[in-house]
Amino acid sequence: MSDAKQEDFLARVASLKAELAKSAAKKTEMGCDEVATLDPESNDAGSPSEGDLEGLLSRINQLTSGVAEEMPAACPPKGAAPKKASSPAVVTAGANPAKAPAESEEAFVPLAPRSFAEAQLTPSAIEELILKFLMARGEESGTGIATQVRLPFSLISDLLGRMKYDQLIGYRNTTSLNDYVCQLTDIGRERARRLNASCTYFGAAPVSLQTYSDAIRRQSLQTQSPGVEDLTRAFSDLLINPKMLTRLGAAVNSGRGMFLYGYPGNGKTSIAERVTKAFGEYIWIPRAIGVDGEIIRLFDPSQHEVAPQQISDGIVVERQIDARWVQIRRPTIIVGGELTMDNLELTVNHASGINEAPVQLKSNCGTLVIDDFGRQRMSTDELLNRWIVPLEKRFDYLNLPSGKKIEVPFDQLVIFSTNLEPKDLVDDAFLRRIPYKIEVENPSEAEFRKLFQIMCPIMGFEYDDRAINYLIEKHYKPTDRPYRCCHPRDLLMQVQNFCKFTRSPRSLNPKTIDFACSNYFAVM
């Protein structure tokens, strides 16, 4: 850019800044209270409108960006450090994914909404939550109400003022600047009773289904590719041979599903429980999802482990985290013989009117383990027919109590763990949708000895190679008994309990080994 053009640009920017300062001064002279009470429909000629100020700022930004584009190769002043490229802004949930930069897809962070529209909520929906909360609590300050519904106090404060004007609540006394203790009026109490009759929920404000679906897409297992180091770390406390690790690595990278089958006691469940550790550690999920006035409770403290918030620099510091979301470790949900068809659908509590999310929804972006597959209370055909389409399409359909059917993400690694042959349980159509069938084989003798070396210090024993030789030669080889991964732990536990009872030191010798094997292998 030439010197003449640069001087002209600086003059235009200075003129606009002066105009902006003059408008701001006029607004200050009017007083904040007067400006706040202006009718939004009217446009006072003597006062600057928000649109005017935004327009001036927009013009300055356009001029500034124009100069930046014209000076790509401009050198910094002598002695000045070169400017670092700014990191991409974190795209908030619900933003158009087509416009999101590729870099931001890897770092989903829900930011606090600045308006009800940005939160995809209506003031009346939050008003209902506040009325039901005050009916249960009796009275509460504005900040306490904001904490309860997990929204910024700036949004709740304006809404409380409107509710007071409508005579739904009254102010009992003040607690701090611009905050009051609120309680229901007779009108508000009567409305709260009617609302409670249909749904008693008054927790965190719900997140829209579209926002939740976008968040799952950006935190999906499909976007990650765990390597050898990741799987080695995930299975660091298990003895996994390299061949098994390679097969597991390919299945985990598919992000779809697998069969783990083989004899009982070889660690199928232990392997399935640790697969999630190979992926990113934390994800964000909403506490509740709202669909057409229905509440779906997603966050489950019994299944989800809350993780400490990882606050990064930049835009996240300027805007707080959206408290309607909770950061958890990637979930690993295990269901066994208790699994029924009801666990795969929305469960409605008719007393409260709240919908509980099914297990597949709670396990999104994590792992869902179907343990002891084939022994569920529901038949395998029912389960497979229910999931044959979600496993292929990566989305599921759920029915709301109102009869509406909604589409939800089906984004987890589904692991079927069974002691039976997969081909004896399911047909070819389903086996095709679970492309990885991994047999967890019996350990070799060398691996069996290694397991004793690992378990002995953990359980308070000194490893004795002579004792293990005696165990193998006396109790395994003569009967051609197969080695199992669970035997070292279980046999050492038998010896441990025997030593506790006899008040003798913990040691592995022929006497204690014979005692343990006589109990453990009595009918095996």
Side-chain angles (χ1 to χ4, degrees), residues 27-49:
K27 184 174 182 179
T28 303
E29 291 174 2
M30 293 180 62
C32 295
D33 295 336
E34 295 178 11
V35 173
T37 57
L38 285 177
D39 185 358
E41 300 293 335
S42 64
N43 187 11
D44 188 352
S47 63
S49 67

Side-chain angles (χ1 to χ4, degrees), residues 441-486:
E441 300 175 343
N442 292 328
S444 64
E445 182 178 331
E447 292 172 335
F448 189 71
R449 292 176 180 273
K450 181 65 176 178
L451 286 170
F452 268 103
Q453 294 177 12
I454 295 172
M455 292 304 302
C456 279
I458 294 175
M459 302 192 69
F461 291 90
E462 182 178 353
Y463 177 76
D464 187 348
D465 198 51
R466 292 174 301 175
I468 305 306
N469 288 336
Y470 174 81
L471 170 66
I472 293 174
E473 297 296 333
K474 175 73 180 291
H475 295 282
Y476 279 86
K477 288 185 176 180
T479 59
D480 200 23
R481 178 173 284 121
Y483 302 113
R484 298 286 167 78
C485 292
C486 63

Side-chain angles (χ1 to χ4, degrees), residues 5 92 117 122 129 131 136 164 189 228 256 258 267 281 303 305 317 326 373 379 411 433 435 442:
K5 287 186 177 180
T92 58
T122 60
L129 295 178
L131 289 173
K164 182 178 183 300
R189 191 172 293 105
V228 176
R256 300 183 70 85
M258 71 179 88
E281 192 171 5
Q303 300 283 5
E305 181 183 353
V317 175
V326 57
F373 180 60
S379 67
D411 191 290
R433 289 166 171 81
N442 292 328

Side-chain angles (χ1 to χ4, degrees), residues 231 233-240 244-245 248 252 258 260-261 263-278 332 334 367 369-372 415-419 440 451 455 484-487 489-490:
L231 262 73
R233 183 188 69 253
F235 301 123
S236 59
D237 59 338
L238 296 180
L239 183 63
I240 304 289
M244 172 66 71
L245 191 68
L248 286 171
V252 168
M258 71 179 88
L260 291 179
Y261 69 98
Y263 292 107
N266 281 336
K268 296 184 297 297
T269 303
S270 298
I271 291 173
E273 289 175 345
R274 289 161 175 78
V275 164
T276 315
K277 295 181 180 179
T332 300
I334 302 175
T367 304
V369 182
I370 313 297
D371 204 10
D372 287 331
I415 300 179
F416 297 90
S417 174
T418 180
N419 301 329
V440 183
L451 286 170
M455 292 304 302
R484 298 286 167 78
C485 292
C486 63
H487 287 175
R489 178 201 61 194
D490 295 345

Side-chain angles (χ1 to χ4, degrees), residues 64-83:
T64 306
S65 62
V67 170
E69 292 174 359
E70 293 182 22
M71 300 177 64
C75 298
K78 186 176 181 180
K83 292 183 179 180

Side-chain angles (χ1 to χ4, degrees), residues 82-143:
K83 292 183 179 180
K84 295 181 179 180
S86 58
S87 58
V90 177
V91 180
T92 58
N96 185 354
K99 297 181 181 180
E103 294 84 351
S104 67
E105 294 291 320
E106 301 177 0
F108 171 79
V109 178
L111 301 181
R114 291 168 290 196
S115 65
F116 287 118
E118 186 175 330
Q120 299 186 31
L121 295 166
T122 60
S124 60
I126 306 304
E127 182 180 290
E128 292 178 2
L129 295 178
I130 294 173
L131 289 173
K132 290 185 284 187
F133 172 60
L134 288 178
M135 185 176 180
R137 180 62 62 90
E139 62 180 38
E140 185 57 81
S141 65
T143 53

Side-chain angles (χ1 to χ4, degrees), residues 184-201:
L184 292 177
T185 63
D186 292 339
I187 299 175
R189 191 172 293 105
E190 179 59 30
R191 183 175 295 183
R193 287 196 189 98
R194 293 199 304 269
L195 293 170
N196 261 330
S198 59
C199 180
T200 62
Y201 180 82

